[in-house]
Amino acid sequence: EKCGYASFMLKEIAEQPKAVADTLLGRIDGSGTLSLDEVRIPPGVLREVDKVVVVACGTAFHAGLIAKYAIEHWTRIPCEVELASEFRYRDPILDQQTLVVAISQSGETMDTLMALRHAREQGARVLAICNTNGSTIPRESDAVLYTHAGPEVAVASTKAFLTQLVACYLVALYLGQVRGTKYGDEIGDVVRDLSGISGAVERVLGTMDPVRELARSLAHKNTVLFLGRHVGHPVALEGALKLKELAYMHAEGFAAGELKHGPIALIEEDLPVVVVVPSPRGRSVLHDKIVSNIQEIRARGARTIVIAEEGDEAVVPYADHLVRIPATPTLLQPLVATVPLQVFACELATARGNEVDQPRNLAKSVTVE
Ligand code: F6R
């Protein structure tokens, strides 16, 4: 079943271009219009939504953090993202105009299920983004958008994450379309960009040999830090989570702007720091700021591993290792930027002799609170 791959994780990483394409399939027509048949919440109800709350755990939570940027930008509806395990204990403010989006690969995560039950009790509508047909979370939701990643066997989530992102973008664009927001004009362009993403992920996968080599050379390290800004921040968190669970290493993700508020004290000679660099086109302020962050940490001895767009020359002088990703619109960059981090964690874990499909202490679906 591993189809010649050494692990399910490697197979699932390699399946990502198809998973992404399958999740888009049939949901966009030639004119760039979205039709999400499974979202059986009437357009009239969606037009009244005044707040979106995303609840999820782990990797799915990271997808939710990225969804916030897309939802707020394309719909101008305020969006909160909360760890499902914390959600109901703080007495959240919810009513009929709240749309709760519950993201779960397995559809069986108890924390996420309890969060959505709580939301429905308060009158909120719940839309599930899920990879498992007929599982509990979609059954208990008002609507479901299935991710078409296919079965994910490795405990650490990879292809499900990319498809969760795609589903989140589709939900954001759909809400924008239904509500006719002023960003409506962008929808057609984004839909076109999304159609090209599967090919971009494929290209990234074809260039991973140096990343694997780098990962092997770092197998003896104790700590790796990850930095990002904007949607690159959740990508950094996801890179760190993959490394913790697979390589059992101390790994932390930070918003690069927070460095000087504390974490920069951690930088020491030869500490590997992975930096996810936003596109120099579009929001160039962000790009310039992260370039100065890279300079700052490098001046303090960090070994910089820089993930940057093809053609971004400004980072070159400060990168000890440079990983190129295809140019992508800012909001969609996580779809390509996450892939090298998955490969990195998987290879590093293997070099440390760990079993990547079945990391210690973890279960594929967490059905207890
Ligand atoms: C990380 C990972 C976990 C899950 C989390 C939620 O690689 O797999 O963090 O993402 O347990 O699981 P689902 O998506 O099934 O609700």
Side-chain angles (χ1 to χ4, degrees), residues 65-279:
L65 291 175
I66 293 165
K68 175 184 167 81
Y69 290 86
I71 290 171
E72 292 195 338
H73 180 69
W74 289 322
T75 72
R76 308 309 294 155
I77 309 171
C79 176
E80 296 168 13
V81 191
E82 186 142 354
L83 290 166
S85 56
E86 291 290 327
F87 182 65
R88 69 197 169 110
Y89 300 106
R90 69 170 174 93
D91 192 12
I93 301 164
L94 303 161
D95 58 30
Q96 279 100 319
Q97 274 148 274
T98 311
L99 177 69
V100 170
V101 179
I103 310 175
S104 175
Q105 188 286 128
S106 63
E108 302 295 347
T109 300
M110 188 54 77
D111 285 316
T112 310
L113 181 61
M114 296 313 269
L116 86 82
R117 282 187 184 156
H118 183 78
R120 292 196 78 197
E121 276 161 22
Q122 314 296 307
R125 315 282 170 141
V126 178
L127 166 66
I129 291 178
C130 185
N131 196 47
T132 312
N133 261 296
S135 55
T136 312
I137 288 172
R139 270 195 281 118
E140 293 204 16
S141 299
D142 296 285
V144 54
L145 188 66
Y146 280 110
T147 48
H148 295 155
E152 195 180 59
V153 177
V155 166
S157 187
T158 54
K159 61 176 181 172
F161 177 68
L162 258 59
T163 62
Q164 284 160 356
L165 291 178
V166 169
C168 289
Y169 295 131
L170 289 175
V171 167
L173 293 167
Y174 185 66
L175 280 174
Q177 177 178 287
V178 166
R179 298 163 66 93
T181 57
K182 66 176 172 144
Y183 291 91
D185 299 349
E186 276 185 39
I187 294 177
D189 293 343
V190 181
V191 162
R192 241 187 321 280
D193 294 331
L194 270 174
S195 329
I197 278 289
S198 163
V201 172
E202 186 87 62
R203 271 169 56 208
V204 176
L205 287 170
T207 58
M208 288 295 96
D209 282 345
V211 172
R212 281 188 275 267
E213 196 181 314
L214 171 66
R216 287 192 295 271
S217 76
L218 298 175
H220 62 287
K221 291 282 182 188
N222 296 318
T223 298
V224 180
L225 302 184
F226 294 78
L227 301 178
R229 274 181 182 266
H230 194 263
V231 288
H233 174 219
V235 172
L237 297 176
E238 175 61 8
L241 179 62
K242 287 284 98 81
L243 204 57
K244 283 175 214 171
E245 59 186 344
L246 295 167
Y248 318 147
M249 280 167 86
H250 171 225
E252 280 193 76
F254 298 109
E258 272 293 294
L259 260 183
K260 56 186 168 305
H261 301 290
I264 200 161
L266 293 169
I267 306 293
E268 57 184 20
E269 201 57 38
D270 217 30
L271 177 78
V273 185
V274 179
V275 189
V276 182
V277 180
S279 168

